[in-house]
Amino acid sequence: MYNKVELCGVNTAALKVLTEAEKIQLLHRCREGDKKARDQLVNGNLRLVLSVIQRFAGRGENPDDLFQVGCIGLIKAIDNFDLTLDVRFSTYAVPMIIGEIRRYLRDNNPIRISRSLRDTAYRAMQAKEQLINEHHREPTVEEIARRLDLPREDVVMALEAIVDPVSLYEPIYNDGGDTIYVMDQLGDSNDDRTWLEELALKEAIANLNDREKKILSLRFFKGLTQVEVSGEIGISQAQVSRLEKAALDKIKREL
């Protein structure tokens, strides 16, 4: 479905791709009120939207609908991007596009959630985006709760309520061997240590260098083989294997 040429009447095969320099130049013109530059910027980033919506394949959603919603996220990114920051536009735009699509999917969630809980969740998401823009990092739940003047437990409950349900039999990893399903990764929900272990794991990953993070992301989040990763980042499969092992060893030592 996602390989077809036409999405929302747009020939995706003919979409132009802008360089980073062109994007920044057009963004400056947008800030000066140039509507033509804004249109060029939107059209020049439609491939970015297309790449993002492919992450949501398999949900049974119409790709045309997701593409249109993703374009809304792109426009918000264009209107809110801070040119004074030393950040690539795509680095800022991708989370905005993903966030817009996730909001759309939550609104169409088959599981009914109370209005007050949903409102709290949306306020928490807005507070999260504000804190990211202010501090340029992912905020903690405590920071979001303080911003909303709500108990931490209420924020956690609201955010968890709008998470899309996942089947226990949904595959999460397969590298040519036995498939690992969600249910294989479930631990004892009564074990409070899982919170500490999750925090320790995040901290250990944060201490890796950019190449190591990218290799682990491609291998374990996107499910690529070592050969595919080597082609993606331009090094040999043997180098990928060594870097992957070194990164995992670093994480084990941290934990």
Side-chain angles (χ1 to χ4, degrees), residues 10-235:
V10 177
N11 183 356
T12 57
L15 291 175
K16 181 181 178 181
V17 177
L18 297 172
T19 65
E20 190 64 22
E22 288 174 326
K23 293 175 186 177
I24 297 301
Q25 183 182 36
L26 289 170
L27 282 164
H28 280 292
R29 287 169 55 189
C30 285
R31 298 298 180 268
E32 296 170 356
D34 189 334
K35 293 184 179 180
K36 184 177 179 181
R38 190 169 184 266
D39 291 340
Q40 289 177 322
L41 198 54
V42 171
N43 291 328
N45 282 282
L46 291 180
R47 275 188 182 272
L48 182 64
V49 176
L50 185 62
S51 69
V52 171
I53 68 171
Q54 291 177 15
R55 302 184 185 189
F56 297 88
R59 291 172 174 259
E61 296 289 337
N62 188 314
D64 283 2
D65 292 341
L66 295 183
F67 188 71
Q68 291 181 60
V69 174
C71 288
I72 295 173
L74 171 62
I75 292 171
K76 288 184 177 180
I78 291 172
D79 292 342
N80 293 287
F81 183 69
D82 188 348
L83 285 163
T84 63
L85 299 178
D86 185 21
V87 177
R88 292 174 62 87
F89 174 73
S90 58
T91 302
Y92 177 79
V94 168
M96 293 286 284
I97 296 169
I98 291 174
E100 199 66 32
I101 293 174
R102 283 178 175 167
R103 275 190 286 272
Y104 166 77
L105 293 174
R106 289 185 193 116
D107 287 341
N108 289 274
N109 196 322
I111 298 177
R112 306 304 298 175
I113 302 168
S114 72
R115 180 66 176 269
S116 61
L117 200 59
R118 187 182 293 275
D119 287 346
T120 300
Y122 287 159
R123 288 174 56 209
M125 294 297 290
Q126 291 172 349
K128 179 181 177 181
E129 290 182 8
Q130 292 170 1
L131 289 166
I132 290 174
N133 290 333
E134 292 172 11
H135 304 295
H136 313 301
R137 63 172 174 78
E138 193 83 6
T140 64
V141 177
E142 287 77 7
E143 289 173 327
I144 296 173
R146 283 198 298 270
R147 175 62 62 92
L148 298 177
D149 194 22
L150 289 173
R152 179 185 183 279
E153 293 76 13
D154 289 358
V155 173
V156 171
M157 185 179 296
L159 291 175
E160 288 183 347
I162 59 174
V163 173
D164 294 330
V166 177
S167 169
L168 291 176
Y169 294 95
E170 180 174 333
I172 59 174
Y173 180 69
N174 189 327
D175 193 17
D178 293 335
T179 301
I180 297 177
Y181 299 95
V182 171
M183 66 183 301
D184 297 323
Q185 301 298 300
L186 296 179
D188 184 354
S189 60
N190 294 319
D191 190 351
D192 292 334
R193 291 177 300 174
T194 57
W195 287 85
L196 296 175
E197 290 169 356
E198 183 179 349
L199 291 173
L201 179 60
K202 287 182 178 179
E203 185 175 342
I205 293 174
N207 290 332
L208 300 176
N209 62 45
D210 290 341
R211 174 175 280 189
E212 290 170 335
K213 289 177 183 176
K214 184 168 185 179
I215 287 174
L216 294 187
S217 174
L218 293 173
R219 287 280 289 132
F220 300 110
F221 289 94
K222 291 192 176 181
L224 301 188
T225 64
Q226 290 184 348
V227 174
E228 290 171 330
V229 173
S230 69
E232 179 81 16
I233 62 179
I235 61 176

